[in-house]
Every structure is written in structure tokens, then in C-alpha cells.
Amino acid sequence: MNYFFSVFVVMVFASCAAKEDKKIRQAEVKNIGEQFSIDNVVDSSGNKITLDFSASDITIIDFWNNGCPPCIEEMKQFPALIKGKAAKVSILSISLTQYWLWKPTLQEHKGTFAFLEYDVPNWKQYNLLTTDDPRLKNEISTDRLGELSSRYGINFNPAYVVVDRSGKILARPESAVEYLKEPGL
């Protein structure tokens, strides 16, 4: 079982390194039209939250991790693309990086993560809690990767799920940036 998760984590990092062309492509279309839900999501204070999609016409759920250059490149562009569009679009960035590594990233706002200092009301940062043994010091939550893979076909980062106000899955774009550049958004 640990071998499976180790291979899975390597696949995630390998996927992060590969850059695709810029046209809008859909990731594996799985669960379109179904209700999106995920448990054990926490805010930067470690408080469990329930994802709320009602603030905007659409919400892009962004799955990322600290060690994923394409994730970071896309996220750097979010503030400019969604500023002033709170009624139309919001982004919930959910990190798969372990909480103990993720929280300092949000607090420091230095170097690679300097873009996180922008205060954009329709862009929230969350983390998926894990049941991984903390003694293993895994940087990525392997149990949550397995859950996302089996429930939503998410096998790489960055990964995006677009939902409406009710949480119904509308799309799975490979690039949130290209999706946000679509006319009407």
C-alpha cells in the first residue's frame, strides 16, 4: 500500500513539471453534473470549514501543493484575473501540502509565494487535513491524494473543478487561468 502511494506522489510531482499548451483543455471529465463535496478542510487557523459556493456565480476549486511550479505560476495570475469580479467568480485554493508546511507559506509571503500577500476577497486559501502518520513527515497528504483520485479522477496538480452556486460540477479545465480568460468571465 505504501508503495502505491509513493508511486502516486511521484506521478503528481512529475505531472507538475510538465507544461501543456495554452489552449483550454478539459481534464478527465468525471462527475460533471454531480455535487462536489469534500470533508476535513481547514482554514489557516486550523479551524474546520464547510466550503461555501454561494458567493459567486461560479467557484473554481484549485488543488495545489507547495512543490508544484505550474500550480504557483497559475496562482500568481489569479489576483489580476478575478479582482472586482466577486459576484461572477471566486477561487478556493486547497493545498494538498501538509498543514505544518502550508501554514508558514501563507504567513511569510516571501520569494516564490510573495503573490499570497494580495488581499483578494474572492480568493480563499484552505488546506486538506490528513490522517497520514506525522512521523513519516510526508510533504504531501497521500491519503487525500488517493481520495481525490478515486472520487474525482484528480491525479495531478494543479487540478481544477468548477462548480456553480449550489456546488454542482460544471467543468474540469486543465488551466484555471485560461478558463478565467474566457469571454463572459
Side-chain angles (χ1 to χ4, degrees), residues 57-183:
D57 291 340
I58 64 164
T59 299
I60 298 174
I61 304 161
D62 162 35
F63 291 101
W64 72 287
N65 69 71
N66 287 16
C68 174
C71 299
I72 295 162
E73 286 305 310
E74 288 247 332
M75 291 172 75
K76 286 178 180 179
Q77 299 175 64
F78 290 171
L81 291 169
I82 67 170
K83 185 177 178 182
K85 297 180 181 179
K88 275 193 155 307
V89 63
S90 60
I91 298 176
L92 304 179
S93 290
I94 302 177
S95 176
L96 298 173
T97 302
Q98 295 281 10
Y99 183 82
W100 55 272
L101 282 173
W102 170 75
K103 186 171 179 174
T105 301
L106 292 182
Q107 294 171 332
E108 293 173 12
H109 299 169
K110 294 180 183 172
T112 303
F113 300 101
F115 65 92
L116 291 173
E117 72 185 350
Y118 298 113
D119 184 23
V120 182
N122 49 331
W123 184 23
K124 306 288 185 214
Q125 299 288 331
Y126 298 119
N127 185 264
L128 283 181
L129 283 183
T130 182
T131 58
D132 284 352
D133 185 337
R135 294 173 296 177
L136 296 175
K137 298 283 186 201
N138 293 335
E139 290 186 16
I140 302 291
S141 171
T142 57
D143 61 329
R144 300 315 296 268
L145 283 173
E147 177 186 353
L148 290 172
S149 177
S150 65
R151 282 178 85 181
Y152 297 108
I154 295 173
N155 297 310
F156 56 88
N157 293 139
Y160 306 102
V161 177
V162 179
V163 299
D164 66 10
R165 287 182 187 270
S166 70
K168 182 175 80 174
I169 299 172
L170 302 174
R172 288 279 317 281
E174 286 190 4
S175 168
V177 168
E178 295 305 314
Y179 189 86
L180 288 166
K181 290 178 180 177
E182 281 289 291

